[in-house]
Every structure is written in C-alpha cells, then in structure tokens.
Amino acid sequence: MDRITLLEPFRALFYAPFYLAESLGAFARQGVAVEMVTAGSPDAASAKLLAGEADLAWSGPMRPLLLRATTPDCTLRSFCAVVMRDPFLLMGGAARPAFALEQLPGLRLGLVSEVPTPVWCLRGDLAERGMDWATLRAVTDRTMAQNAEAVAEGGLDLAQMFEPFACRVEDAGGAVWHAQAGRGHTAYTAFYATEAGIAAKRAPLMAMIRAMAEALEFIRSAPAGEVAERIAPRFPDVPSSHRVRAIARYQGLGLWDAGPRFPRAAFDRLGAAMLASGVIPHVPPFEACVDDAIVEEALA
C-alpha cells in the first residue's frame, strides 16, 4: 500500500465525496493507505503542504490561482475536480420565492467570514449585473452560526452559509432565497499539490483520482439517506435529518460533477470573480494552475 497524508482544510458536508471515498473503501481498493488530517483552515492547509508536512490537500482552486497571480514562482497545481458548483446559499427568515440578487441593496446581509471564495463569487455575480458592491448593507464579522441565529431572530434579513447551517435556518421557519450554484460551473474544490510532489507521488496520486471518480459516481446516483449514513462518522454532531436534507439539496443542485475532469468554464468563472473582487491583478493561465494530464493518465 502506498501511504498518502491528505489534508482537509476543515470539515464540511459539501466535501462529502472525499469522506465517501474513505467509507466506500475506494482508496484502499486503489492500493492507497490515506491518513486524513484536518488542517483547520484553507490557509493552514496550504502552508502545511508547502512546508512538506503532507503529500496532498484538497481545497479551493482559488489557492493556486491566487498564488500564481501574485507569486510567479508558486508551484501549487490543482487536479481532480470534485466540487464544481458553489455550495453556498442565501438564507432568509421567511419564504421569498420571487427574490432576485438585484434586491440585495437595502437588505441586511450577513456574509461568510470564515472563507473568502463565496464572497468573491457573490461579488462576481453582482458585477455581472452591473451592481455596485458598496451599496450592500453587509455584516462581515460574524460566523455562519452567528448569522444563522441572527436570521432566525430577525437581526438579519438574509445570510450566506453552507450546510448544515441552512437546515438550522429552515427549522426556525426560514427558507432558501438564492442558491449560488445556480450560476453554473464554478471551481470550488479539487486536490492540489506542489509540482515536485505530483512528480514524486504520481502513481499513488493517480490512484487517488480513480478513487474519487468512484466516489463521484456513487454520490450522483445513491439515495441521499445512504450517502448521509456513510459519512455519519465524520459528522457526529450533525443530526441525521440535517445530513440527509443537506446531501439531497446538494445533489439537486448538481454540486458534484460526473467525474474528476476539470471544467475549464469553472476555472474561468472563478478567475473572473476574483478579478472583479480585486484580489488578483490578472487571471493566470488555466494550464499553469491545473494539471489535466495526470487526470487523463489516471483515467486512461
């Protein structure tokens, strides 16, 4: 068995395919013994990977994109697409079926503070509509848990969050106003490693890609209840009903693609959002940020 140390940035239900690959025994079937380590944040995962403390990490393709746009000698590359649609939801305190993003100005909006990508992507959505981000009444210094509570109590009109916080808002009478997945392909989660690490561990990394292909195929067709049960050990504090509802919602939104090939449109949309948000001076080439060759070789 090849041994791989794999970093997860933090625990999240939209990362379900990774936990499924573990639960299904897909990694082991491919001859890889995976030690999954929680880094605590995307920044910590990137730092540990660059320091040589792990072989591989999963996180947003925003990381190689950001670093290659600002640090030309960065060697991080993404591969093996897993989450290629935005998992974040705008949750309101009561149903509002006619809501549109054009109605955001004037509303009290809680933005995600834990990670930057969902905010950048929302900024990109507004920029495409010709809307001025500065007109929003945004709260930016609260956690998703705090924002969910504020929406339920009427302190915010709506807030941006992922599962299972959305389920908590629904249980308190709230509803989904807008699913950011609706914009289409957006590069959200993939494996990434240094170029040297990819070269040194190419065979076991290809085995990891094949294992993820199995998990992605499973999650697109299996009942939400079965998926929720298989990943339950990784989410002991999330009620079963929330796990099932969250997985079913994400399946309905098409969060997980049919396989690990990286859609170029997903990269382009993320790059455009980051550019509109002013966090990068230019969008680096897809080929510099994404290693397609290793995926094609793994699946051949």
Side-chain angles (χ1 to χ4, degrees):
M1 298 283 282
D2 290 303
R3 296 191 176 277
I4 290 288
T5 301
L6 172 62
L7 294 174
E8 65 167 348
F10 53 86
R11 191 65 43 84
L13 282 165
F14 69 87
Y15 291 147
F18 298 102
Y19 312 126
L20 258 182
E22 176 186 56
S23 171
L24 291 167
F27 293 138
R29 268 192 298 281
Q30 291 294 334
V32 185
V34 176
E35 180 188 9
M36 196 178 295
V37 179
T38 304
S41 73
D43 288 341
S46 175
K48 288 177 180 292
L49 189 62
L50 289 169
E53 297 177 25
D55 303 302
L56 182 65
W58 79 69
S59 191
M62 54 75 67
R63 186 66 50 181
L65 201 156
L66 176 65
L67 291 177
R68 283 184 177 268
T70 56
T71 311
D73 60 352
C74 172
T75 65
L76 290 179
R77 295 187 80 186
S78 293
F79 60 95
C80 188
V82 177
V83 184
M84 288 291 117
R85 280 175 175 77
D86 192 328
F88 282 80
L89 306 159
L90 298 185
M91 301 296 300
R96 191 166 174 174
F99 176 78
L101 292 181
E102 287 79 2
Q103 298 169 11
L104 279 177
L107 296 175
R108 298 165 299 171
L109 168 66
L111 292 174
V112 173
S113 64
E114 292 93 333
V115 288
T117 306
V119 178
W120 295 342
C121 288
L122 184 60
R123 289 190 68 158
D125 293 339
L126 269 57
E128 286 184 359
R129 291 164 171 77
M131 298 171 62
D132 183 358
W133 184 258
T135 63
L136 299 189
R137 295 174 59 191
V139 175
T140 61
D141 60 350
R142 296 177 184 170
T143 65
M144 281 181 280
Q146 290 171 327
N147 282 339
E149 185 175 344
V151 168
E153 294 177 351
L156 289 172
D157 295 307
L158 73 167
Q160 187 184 44
M161 63 193 70
F162 60 47
E163 294 287 10
F165 300 103
C167 288
R168 296 182 192 176
V169 172
E170 285 179 327
D171 286 354
V176 177
W177 285 14
H178 176 77
Q180 293 190 188
R183 83 171 68 88
H185 272 132
T186 307
Y188 237 84
T189 310
F191 283 145
Y192 70 106
T194 63
E195 291 176 347
I198 293 172
K201 296 276 189 175
R202 192 169 187 85
L205 292 186
M206 286 195 295
M208 297 285 286
I209 292 167
R210 290 190 291 271
M212 291 310 303
E214 179 182 341
L216 287 167
E217 181 179 0
F218 184 92
I219 202 169
R220 286 172 60 86
S221 58
E226 182 177 354
V227 175
E229 183 63 26
R230 283 188 171 275
I231 66 173
R234 290 286 181 177
F235 297 91
D237 298 328
V238 177
S240 175
S241 61
H242 285 186
R243 278 186 280 110
V244 174
R245 196 190 319 169
I247 295 298
R249 191 190 329 268
Y250 282 152
Q251 286 175 324
L253 290 172
L255 207 69
W256 303 295
D257 266 12
R261 290 180 173 87
F262 205 113
R264 187 178 290 257
F267 175 87
D268 291 343
R269 185 168 282 114
L270 176 63
M274 293 174 69
L275 194 63
S277 299
V279 295
I280 53 174
H282 66 278
V283 180
F286 175 84
E287 293 75 13
C289 298
V290 178
D291 187 343
D292 261 348
I294 190 173
V295 176
E296 293 302 329
E297 186 177 349
L299 299 180

